[in-house]
């Protein structure tokens, strides 16, 4: 019986906690007590939200809608762009491996190339830059499909992969405000080479930013006979600087690996050549891009 009495008392105590008609409390608080604590937290969180909004406003007031706060030598990446490679369907692999004439083996590469080319098909706010740089606020139109066609790389022949002569696109990554300082003559460019270093395959003309590709090692260089480029003169000054123009696309050079040894992995390194671009440290990817090629 004592246990039954204790159980009844516990139930009564619980009910009184939920609602006590004698004291007029709900969950142990009167109506005025609930009003005060609710008002306190409303004011507290309103002040907290206002403080947070004020900090956000102060932060965003220091930013520019078009230009980064730090760029050039003040930024972490500084004024030293890297080269990008397409196709590269797997972001964590730079290997291009396929069997000549076997569509299924190179389909990921040609599909990735086609998707990349479609980005350049959008010519909104772009103008032809054959006679000089674009007007302020405009971007240069890059006719990348024509570049490919000049090298015989079209959708019809799967951009050269069908014939075992693949085309790759080398794009200079965008850095706000960057303007390359091109070598004015080839002699000036060659004078800047390290001892024993020479060009295997180079896209360059006087006053243009050069792009070269070659085997990484002596054996790799022996296995690359011919690489052709378009534009053959390299990158024009008209494409620079990038200042967040609508429609701006990274300038590109298309390379076609026409004669390479098959059934062997070839290490290929491509570099940008300008007076203000450091391409000496391949590990940091500054001014360079590296990929491997294996053709069955």
């Amino acid at each position: 019986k004592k246990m039954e009495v204790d159980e009844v008392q516990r139930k009564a105590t619980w009910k009184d906690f939920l609602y006590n008609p004698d004291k007029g409390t709900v969950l142990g608080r009167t109506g005025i007590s609930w009003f005060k604590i609710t008002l306190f937290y409303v004011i507290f969180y309103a002040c907290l939200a206002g403080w947070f909004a004020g900090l956000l406003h102060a932060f965003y007031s220091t930013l520019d809608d078009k230009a980064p706060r730090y760029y050039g030598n003040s930024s972490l990446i500084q004024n030293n762009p890297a080269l990008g490679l397409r196709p590269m369907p797997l972001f964590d692999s730079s290997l291009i491996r396929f069997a000549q004439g076997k569509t299924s083996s190179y389909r990921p590469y040609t599909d990735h190339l086609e998707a990349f080319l479609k980005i350049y098909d959008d010519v909104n706010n772009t103008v032809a830059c054959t006679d000089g740089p674009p007007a302020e606020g405009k971007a240069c139109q890059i006719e990348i499909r024509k570049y490919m066609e000049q090298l015989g790389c079209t959708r019809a022949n799967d951009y050269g992969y069908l014939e075992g002569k693949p085309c790759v696109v080398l794009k200079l990554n965008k850095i706000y405000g960057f303007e390359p300082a091109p070598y004015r003559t080839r002699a000036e460019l060659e004078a800047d080479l390290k001892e024993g270093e020479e060009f295997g395959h180079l896209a360059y003309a006087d006053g243009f930013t050069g792009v070269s590709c070659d085997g990484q090692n002596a054996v790799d260089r022996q296995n690359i006979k011919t690489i052709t480029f378009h534009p053959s003169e390299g990158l024009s000054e008209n494409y620079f600087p990038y200042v967040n123009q609508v429609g701006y696309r990274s300038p590109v050079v298309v390379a076609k690996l026409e004669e390479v040894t098959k059934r062997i992995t070839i290490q290929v390194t491509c570099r940008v050549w300008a007076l203000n671009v450091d391409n000496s440290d391949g590990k940091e990817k500054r001014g360079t891009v590296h990929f491997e090629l294996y053709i069955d």
Side-chain angles (χ1 to χ4, degrees):
K1 291 183 178 180
K2 183 179 180 180
M3 292 179 62
E4 292 178 358
V5 171
D6 291 341
E7 183 67 23
V8 171
Q9 288 178 345
R10 278 197 296 269
K11 290 182 178 179
T13 302
W14 178 246
K15 290 179 180 179
D16 286 343
F17 173 72
L18 292 177
Y19 175 66
N20 190 324
D22 297 331
K23 297 180 180 180
T25 60
V26 176
L27 300 179
R29 290 184 177 274
T30 62
I32 189 64
S33 177
W34 277 115
F35 172 76
K36 289 178 180 180
I37 197 171
T38 301
L39 181 62
F40 168 79
Y41 279 110
V42 167
I43 295 173
F44 174 76
Y45 284 115
C47 292
L48 194 63
W51 171 253
F52 181 69
L55 291 178
L56 280 180
H57 176 74
F59 172 74
Y60 281 112
S61 66
T62 66
L63 302 180
D64 191 298
D65 290 338
K66 294 185 178 181
R69 183 173 179 81
Y70 298 106
Y71 60 91
N73 291 327
S74 300
S75 69
L76 290 176
I77 59 175
Q78 301 186 339
N79 264 341
N80 212 116
L83 274 176
L85 173 72
R86 298 293 184 275
M88 195 173 172
L90 300 176
F91 73 92
D92 58 346
S93 174
S94 56
L95 173 65
I96 298 176
R97 178 175 182 172
F98 64 96
Q100 180 180 340
K102 189 175 180 181
T103 305
S104 60
S105 68
Y106 57 70
R107 178 59 58 81
Y109 304 110
T110 55
D111 286 350
H112 195 238
L113 259 181
E114 180 62 26
F116 180 72
L117 297 181
K118 286 181 178 178
I119 297 174
Y120 285 75
D121 288 340
D122 182 2
V123 294
N124 178 46
N125 199 50
T126 63
V127 295
C129 294
T130 52
D131 298 325
E136 184 177 354
K138 295 288 185 178
C140 281
Q141 183 177 338
I142 300 177
E143 298 179 311
I144 188 171
R145 290 190 186 271
K146 287 187 178 181
Y147 298 173
M148 304 282 279
E149 290 171 4
Q150 289 290 328
L151 294 175
C153 291
T154 64
R155 189 62 176 171
N157 70 353
D158 290 327
Y159 304 115
Y161 290 77
L162 176 65
E163 305 160 349
K165 301 177 179 180
C167 272
V168 298
V169 178
L170 306 169
K171 70 181 187 72
L172 190 64
N173 293 343
K174 295 183 288 188
I175 291 184
Y176 187 92
F178 171 74
E179 294 185 73
Y183 293 92
R184 291 301 164 186
T185 64
R186 183 170 180 130
E188 182 184 11
L189 172 54
E190 292 178 344
D192 215 16
L193 295 176
K194 296 178 181 178
E195 184 177 352
E197 190 176 18
E198 61 182 16
F199 292 115
H201 312 275
L202 174 68
Y204 173 77
D206 293 350
F208 284 72
T209 297
V211 176
S212 70
C213 289
D214 207 352
Q216 180 173 315
N217 306 304
V219 174
D220 297 314
R221 289 190 283 273
Q222 291 176 2
N223 290 314
I224 301 176
K225 301 297 189 296
T226 307
I227 299 178
T228 52
F229 299 93
H230 197 83
S232 58
E233 61 270 17
L235 301 172
S236 170
E237 291 180 300
N238 295 337
Y239 298 129
F240 305 96
Y242 164 64
V243 286
N244 209 20
Q245 304 98 311
V246 174
Y248 185 92
R249 300 289 182 264
S250 295
V252 302
V253 168
V254 180
K256 184 177 185 180
L257 295 96
E258 297 203 55
E259 293 183 60
V260 296
T261 304
K262 295 180 173 58
R263 297 182 179 86
I264 188 171
T265 301
I266 303 173
Q267 309 281 338
V268 184
T269 299
C270 298
R271 299 182 180 181
V272 179
W273 295 94
L275 288 166
N276 58 344
V277 174
D278 178 13
N279 61 21
S280 60
D281 190 351
K283 291 182 179 179
E284 295 292 334
K285 307 298 182 184
R286 294 183 300 184
T288 68
V289 69
H290 173 89
F291 64 97
E292 305 83 35
L293 178 66
Y294 186 98
I295 304 175
D296 284 325

